[in-house]
Amino acid sequence: MTSRLRAADIMDRRAEGADRPTIDGEAEALRREAVSRFEGFLLDRANPGARFRNRACQPLDRRLFQEASEIGLLQFGLPTEIGGAGRDKFEWGVVIAELARISRDPGFPVLLDITVENTELILSSGRTELIDRYVPDLVAGRRFAVQGAYESRDPYDYQTTARFEDGHWVLNGAKRFLAGAVFADLFVCYVRDEASNDMLAFAVERDDPGVTAVRLETMGMRTMGMGQLVLHDVRLPEWRLVWRSDALSELNTYARNRRTMSGCGVLGAMEGVVDACVESLAIRRRSGRRVLDYPNVERSIGEMRMLLESARSSLYRALDATRAARRDPYFDALATTAKHQVSEAAVRVGQLVMNLQGGESYMSAFPWEQYMRDVLGLIGGQGSQEMLLIQLGQRSIVGLEGRRLKQDVAERTVSRLADSWWAVSAQEARAGAAAHRSEVSAAIDDVLLAAGLTGAADGADDTLAGLTRQATAFQSCATAVRTGLLAALLQPGTVAEAAERVGLAPDNARELLGALTDTQLVQSLPGDAYVVHPGLERLVVGGPRTAAFKARLRRAVDGGAGLRAGTAGGPGVQAAGRGDDAPLLADVFANELLGRLEGLEDLLDRPELRIGCAAGDGGRSMDALARELPVARVLAIEPDGVPADEVGETRHPWGPAPEVRVGDLDSFAPDDGLCLAWVPAVGWSTAHLERRVEAAARALVPGGWLVMTLPLPPKRKLGAAVLGLELALTGSEPVAQGTVEDLLRRTGLGHIRWFWQDANLGLQLVASRRER
């Protein structure tokens, strides 16, 4: 007779081998893996529209979990025998924390782990009928499972009961608090056996007669689909019994892991809000000083850092203990302690953030109040000397600014390489006497003069040689981005490993890595290994910023090639601020800047009003705005039109499909009823831009806002000349800040604000408001 299989036999997997790096070192390697494999998915699929789903108390789209399975995320923490990756709970916990850090919807990583652990529960039953029916669908994300246990009563005093009658189990009662109940289709329900008073567990399907899921309104975690499960004379066949006896022990096995994993979600959310808080304070000044330079602010940030690190230490210790050979299968003191510690720390962090943010912390337009509500909801599932706290605050600020500095250095390096590429391309175009329009030729002359490549310049040959080396490095960078080599090196690897990851020949990979190492965009490690510069992570991981970065590289590569061939410029040339830049700009607008435009959120909620988009980029800007602002209707003016099925419910499941009007890009009408007009300023002449702004301003309702996307002139002499050349290629004219403001005022708009810019991507946003 074989021994009974228990949940602990399935859940307690241990990494083989005694030699391991430190916990922090191992966690950092796992974080990099999570960034490389899964962060782009969250940025592209889970994050868009999250803020508005939260406001509307709209549950997550079930399709996200099926998509998570398609990229291997759902399988990451599941056993290999059912198609999982077999990673242990420490590894899975670090991944959940990283997902929670970058997720704008805190419910997604929590729900992800819930369905994973309920899949393990079904598997641990050892019952072939249950495993064959449910596990394949759960692993593939076609089903979603939650457990129903909570009744606020002792388990042996449950009011939800089961009785065996005529060959079936009959269940009656209710479970009061289930995450995911609104959209789950499988429930592992714990009930009391009327005959034995023992606890049993059953697999209950949503479609079983007598099963009702009732939505539960909560203060926080509004997208988790919280609900109550009502069971009325639910008749189940005997094979639906998950455990025939002592289900309480299996519930305790589940609970000890859930305490740790829920703590991982809180830890990630806490780290994200601390970083966001410091970032938002970095640009504020009081009495001529940076807010971050005040000792009381440093002290508060120091306390947040202390709370974060103490919570992390407690949680990592609990996660590491899940790999212990003699772990108690039913109760884990470290897991319980970590859950309490992390929750208490998160609440205190929320209080500190609210103190630092002032009135903004009480506004739903900013993320602080949502964080506080969500953390308070997770609770259900001391100090030190002042100087130490100040020092911790200083270190935290320095660390964050150091990370930003690394990003700026890496991105400026790419920008300078791109400038060199343009300069060398301009020189070859001039040497080859390629034919260009007069305005393009004048811009080429400006680039050559700024680069020191004019015939009269001293040392022009040496300058050209240096620029050529940098242009070659730029080509290597563009190739490494296009082939995915840079993204592959988010995880360190040898030349052979990196080449295999992206399907390159090893010799080609080595040549690219050599050029990138010379420019320090890639760092060499012992053992012929390489890793991408940490400052480039956010440019290659995926998501809107990666798309904008790739678009800038493509503009340079295509523009330079066109200069050499004499074919650069003309219709169809992609311009900055449109096309692949649109997802980033829409993301920044919706999630960072929208709350600073007075009255706009209320206007977006009015169903008769629309967002007007005149980008002329084949629907990319329209699509990005519709994804990020799903509460509003989007009207786009497109010269060629966009097929309706490209912007339908498949891509915008949380809002109305955009409307497309074919016509001139300046053909907005006053009766269009726009609360927001989105007008990129690049790609047309000044006269055409003026007509478009005037038409958009007339179509705005009182209180509506016009947002323009513009290129940001670099401070570098060569960079400014290169921007002039790019504008000439797109048929645009340089638009000075004063010119833009004069144009907006002439059209009756006020409250002009230059409220966002990114020097490394060369983009900026300006907004103005119609008063009447």
Side-chain angles (χ1 to χ4, degrees), residues 125-138:
S125 71
R127 307 200 69 178
T128 303
E129 304 98 318
L130 292 170
I131 294 171
D132 290 347
R133 180 177 178 89
Y134 300 122
V135 168
D137 284 347
L138 288 167

Side-chain angles (χ1 to χ4, degrees), residues 412-534:
R412 280 200 302 268
T413 298
V414 176
S415 296
R416 289 193 177 96
L417 296 179
D419 290 345
S420 298
W421 163 263
W422 278 107
V424 172
S425 299
Q427 192 274 341
E428 293 188 11
R430 181 61 75 231
H436 292 289
R437 303 190 314 272
S438 58
E439 61 271 21
V440 174
S441 294
I444 289 175
D445 291 339
D446 291 340
V447 169
L448 296 177
L449 180 62
L453 293 177
T454 57
D458 294 334
D461 290 341
D462 292 339
T463 300
L464 178 59
L467 290 171
T468 301
R469 286 193 297 272
Q470 292 183 339
T472 301
F474 173 77
Q475 286 181 296
S476 298
C477 178
T479 302
V481 169
R482 179 178 55 81
T483 59
L485 182 62
L486 276 185
L489 288 175
L490 286 166
Q491 300 180 68
T494 64
V495 171
E497 291 170 340
E500 184 179 0
R501 290 171 188 171
V502 296
L504 277 176
D507 289 344
N508 292 341
R510 186 177 295 280
E511 182 179 353
L512 290 174
L513 291 176
L516 295 173
T517 303
D518 289 342
T519 59
Q520 299 185 353
L521 294 177
V522 167
Q523 299 173 345
S524 59
L525 301 174
D528 193 32
Y530 297 87
V531 67
V532 71
H533 187 288

Side-chain angles (χ1 to χ4, degrees), residues 122-384:
I122 297 293
L123 180 62
S124 67
S125 71
R127 307 200 69 178
T128 303
E129 304 98 318
L130 292 170
I131 294 171
D132 290 347
R133 180 177 178 89
Y134 300 122
V135 168
D137 284 347
L138 288 167
V139 174
R142 293 187 295 268
R143 285 185 182 270
F144 186 87
V146 301
Q147 62 91 14
Y150 180 76
E151 290 188 21
S152 192
R153 303 175 67 89
D154 185 281
Y156 295 116
D157 192 31
Y158 272 174
Q159 291 182 335
T160 303
T161 61
R163 69 177 187 275
F164 194 73
E165 181 180 278
D166 298 329
H168 285 76
W169 287 97
V170 181
L171 277 58
N172 281 283
K175 296 297 176 180
R176 297 177 54 189
F177 195 68
L178 284 74
V182 171
F183 53 79
D185 49 18
L186 180 64
F187 305 88
V188 179
C189 290
Y190 296 85
V191 301
R192 177 173 58 85
D193 182 2
E194 290 183 348
S196 66
N197 212 42
D198 193 7
M199 183 189 284
L200 308 178
F202 292 87
V204 177
E205 297 183 13
R206 173 182 289 274
D207 295 334
D208 288 332
V211 175
T212 305
V214 181
R215 177 178 172 176
L216 184 66
E217 293 189 6
T218 57
M219 178 174 64
M221 305 301 287
R222 295 173 176 174
T223 63
M224 283 185 63
M226 296 289 187
Q228 302 179 5
L229 189 68
V230 179
L231 307 173
H232 178 70
D233 288 337
V234 178
R235 298 181 65 84
L236 301 178
E238 194 276 340
W239 65 266
R240 293 276 200 94
L241 186 61
V242 181
W243 291 290
R244 292 181 171 83
S245 63
D246 192 22
L248 178 60
S249 295
E250 312 305 330
L251 175 60
N252 287 336
T253 298
Y254 171 88
R256 62 174 189 158
N257 281 342
R258 275 300 308 143
R259 287 170 183 163
T260 308
M261 301 309 298
S262 64
C264 292
V266 179
L267 177 69
M270 193 186 343
E271 185 170 5
V273 82
V274 170
D275 285 354
C277 178
V278 177
E279 288 269 12
S280 71
L281 295 176
I283 60 174
R284 299 187 190 180
R285 302 184 72 86
R286 295 288 186 271
S287 302
R289 296 174 61 188
R290 289 196 321 160
V291 168
L292 289 179
D293 291 336
Y294 282 85
N296 64 309
V297 176
E298 292 174 338
R299 181 241 181 249
S300 294
I301 296 173
E303 186 175 354
M304 287 195 287
R305 178 62 182 271
M306 181 201 66
L307 291 162
L308 179 63
E309 293 302 333
S310 62
R312 193 194 314 276
S313 298
S314 177
L315 192 59
Y316 280 5
R317 188 182 176 199
L319 284 170
D320 189 53
T322 63
R323 302 185 286 198
R326 298 182 180 180
R327 184 188 182 200
D328 188 323
Y330 306 122
F331 180 78
D332 191 328
L334 286 175
T336 303
T337 301
K339 171 63 168 59
H340 181 273
Q341 169 72 6
V342 173
S343 298
E344 290 296 308
V347 171
R348 178 57 183 157
V349 164
Q351 292 173 329
L352 291 166
V353 169
M354 295 185 78
N355 289 340
L356 291 172
Q357 293 294 335
E360 286 188 2
S361 67
Y362 207 63
M363 301 179 190
S364 61
F366 299 95
W368 324 119
E369 64 90 30
Q370 179 185 335
Y371 167 83
M372 200 63 179
R373 285 188 286 102
D374 292 341
V375 164
L376 289 173
L378 287 166
I379 290 179
Q382 255 256 328
S384 202

